[in-house]
Amino acid sequence: MKLLITGGAGFIGSNFVHHILKTYPDYEIINLDALTYAGNLENLKDFDNEPRYTFVKGDICDKALVEELVAKVDIVVHFAAESHVDRSIFDSEAFVRTNVIGTHTLLEAARKAGNKRFHHVSTDEVFGSLGADEAPFSEITPYDPRSPYSASKAGSDHLVRAYFHTHNLPITISNCSNNYGPYHFPEKLIPLIITNLIEGKEIPIYGDGLQVRDWLYVEDHCKAIDLIIHQGKIGETYCVGGASEKPNLEIAKAILKLLGKDEGLIKYVQDRKGHDRRYAIDFSKIKSQLGWEPQVTFEEGLQKTVAWFLENEAWWKNVRSGQYQEYYNQQYKK
Ligand code: NAD
Ligand code: DAU
């Protein structure tokens, strides 16, 4: 099988490239990534000399490039997105462009190439925000996005579904909860806390810190996508979650404990605008139909993640200094 992975230099996409190349010795990958601030080729340096892996620096809104690449593969696995909620609050233009127009460009290319198989990686944020006692999100929860990020992802999901219904494009969608693990960009909560603490800095907690997220170790998300692309039913959506709802404050305290630091380093800061209170996922469909459930407990996953950041200080220090953006020039423009 030959896969076009979009956004493969980002957090989840690069974990997925690792997963596929290690799990399937005969699979080939083309990784199309624009290398925005979130793209980091250091995540994939293990494959610099791997003949089954090709990196293409490019934009998913570039119609000609996308058509050329989609024609070469059996399946598109679409991760590329602007993914950070806070950035979408400050400036949402790139979110609409990449998440909506970029997804549309890929869908059109898949249609023109003879209806190529298409898997769209989406988020639980499209379903909105839950109250403390409300049932978790599932595949039948109505869409109710509340940030520019989640609205743009919801728009992309609707386009993907429309291409299934209108053009019979063989699509699947996964809506996943919060991921964490290796290569997580340190603007997001868990890697921000870990790296700040290693550097002896305070950790910013928005509002009262009691917002709840459902955390999933990234390797488990990759395994879910792997199952969906091989065994998922065409036209279907699968909700993927971690069975691990935690308030942000509890996450902060758990990491403080793992690193032997004092809770005085918690700094309450101004809340995020329109901050969604709680996300939770009912993943019984993918469990009963495809046999997937999370393998890594939150305690184990958090320990592994903290250990990874301790062992890979050079990786996140390069991100913080901006040095990581030189990797493409060093490796590909020699
Ligand atoms: P990320 O921000 O770490 O990576 C995004 C990647 O997309 C980067 O490599 C970036 O360079 C690339 N990219 C951005 N714009 C592009 C463009 N126009 N053309 C080509 N490449 C472009 O994101 P992530 O956290 O790895 O998320 C991947 C996908 O999974 C996203 O679609 C996101 O909505 C979804 N998702 C993320 C989470 C999570 O917790 N991180 C949870 C559920 C779903
Ligand atoms: O639910 C899936 C989503 O999870 C993905 O679709 C997004 O791409 C991904 O970024 C993530 O969104 P969140 O907004 O939930 O993740 P973030 O790490 O930004 O924030 C997690 C929680 O922590 C949220 O309640 C806001 C809070 N927070 C975040 C930061 C960065 C803080 O309290 N302080 C912070 O400094």
Side-chain angles (χ1 to χ4, degrees):
M1 178 135 81
K2 200 162 181 177
L3 300 87
L4 175 63
I5 294 181
T6 70
F11 163 45
I12 307 174
S14 62
N15 275 284
F16 190 71
V17 171
H18 279 265
H19 171 81
I20 290 291
L21 290 175
K22 285 176 187 158
T23 310
Y24 301 101
D26 53 342
Y27 281 20
E28 291 174 36
I29 287 177
I30 300 175
N31 173 15
L32 171 62
D33 196 297
L35 297 183
T36 68
Y37 81 92
N40 185 349
L41 285 182
E42 291 189 11
N43 301 4
L44 296 164
K45 61 180 182 209
D46 291 1
F47 308 117
D48 280 343
N49 299 312
E50 169 59 65
R52 294 183 296 127
Y53 169 76
T54 306
F55 175 69
V56 177
K57 183 173 188 291
D59 192 325
I60 58 165
C61 300
D62 179 341
K63 203 169 148 189
L65 175 64
V66 163
E67 283 181 6
E68 179 195 323
L69 296 178
V70 170
K72 290 182 179 169
V73 298
D74 304 302
I75 179 167
V76 178
V77 187
H78 176 33
F79 292 88
E82 287 294 334
S83 71
H84 192 40
V85 174
D86 290 328
R87 287 180 189 256
S88 82
I89 294 166
F90 296 122
D91 186 356
S92 51
E93 194 173 327
F95 287 74
V96 176
R97 185 181 174 278
T98 289
N99 300 358
V100 182
I101 298 173
T103 301
H104 177 255
T105 308
L106 287 162
L107 288 165
E108 263 299 284
R111 182 183 70 78
K112 283 189 186 162
N115 270 1
K116 287 280 164 83
R117 176 82 174 83
F118 193 100
H119 179 72
H120 179 57
V121 181
S122 193
T123 170
D124 59 357
E125 300 201 10
V126 297
F127 301 120
S129 179
L130 291 167
D133 301 323
E134 278 184 277
F137 304 131
S138 76
E139 292 77 7
I140 57 165
T141 305
Y143 274 42
D144 183 22
R146 294 154 43 101
S147 74
Y149 162 68
S150 53
S152 65
K153 289 297 290 187
S156 67
D157 292 13
H158 290 317
L159 280 168
V160 175
R161 291 216 182 118
Y163 269 69
F164 168 66
H165 291 292
T166 309
H167 298 297
N168 286 324
L169 195 77
I171 66 97
T172 41
I173 299 177
S174 48
N175 291 95
C176 187
S177 62
N178 286 61
N179 285 214
Y180 67 101
Y183 306 115
H184 204 177
F185 199 87
E187 66 182 347
K188 308 275 170 73
L189 182 72
I190 288 183
L192 179 74
I193 293 178
I194 298 172
T195 53
N196 270 16
L197 288 179
I198 299 175
E199 288 191 328
K201 295 180 183 159
E202 290 180 322
I203 50 179
I205 295 295
Y206 297 164
D208 61 8
L210 299 180
Q211 305 82 6
V212 171
R213 298 291 182 265
D214 175 7
W215 294 94
L216 179 69
Y217 193 62
V218 63
E219 208 174 274
D220 276 327
H221 186 190
C222 293
K223 288 179 181 165
I225 298 170
D226 177 348
L227 267 177
I228 296 167
I229 65 176
H230 288 98
Q231 295 173 37
K233 195 168 165 218
I234 297 304
E236 297 277 315
T237 286
Y238 296 89
C239 281
V240 180
S244 194
E245 284 187 58
K246 308 272 176 211
N248 297 336
L249 207 49
E250 195 178 317
I251 305 276
K253 287 182 181 170
I255 300 172
L256 281 159
K257 197 167 170 201
L258 282 171
L259 288 171
K261 303 275 183 177
D262 191 89
E263 288 189 10
L265 287 165
I266 293 175
K267 186 176 180 217
Y268 291 94
V269 298
Q270 194 182 2
D271 207 352
R272 174 183 280 175
K273 280 187 187 174
H275 200 165
D276 287 342
R277 197 68 183 164
R278 173 177 165 240
Y279 304 141
I281 284 272
D282 170 356
F283 57 84
S284 49
K285 176 176 170 179
I286 188 170
K287 184 175 177 185
S288 65
Q289 294 189 7
L290 303 183
W292 178 91
E293 62 185 325
Q295 303 291 307
V296 180
T297 64
F298 183 72
E299 290 65 31
E300 189 190 342
L302 194 64
Q303 270 178 25
K304 282 163 82 152
T305 304
V306 169
W308 189 87
F309 276 86
L310 284 168
E311 281 159 22
N312 290 277
E313 206 164 293
W315 178 87
W316 57 265
K317 288 209 159 151
N318 277 354
V319 173
R320 288 206 156 165
S321 70
Q323 181 60 31
Y324 72 111
Q325 288 174 315
E326 291 304 312
Y327 195 80
Y328 175 74
N329 291 333
Q330 286 162 10
Q331 289 300 318
Y332 288 82
K333 296 280 174 192
K334 285 189 274 206

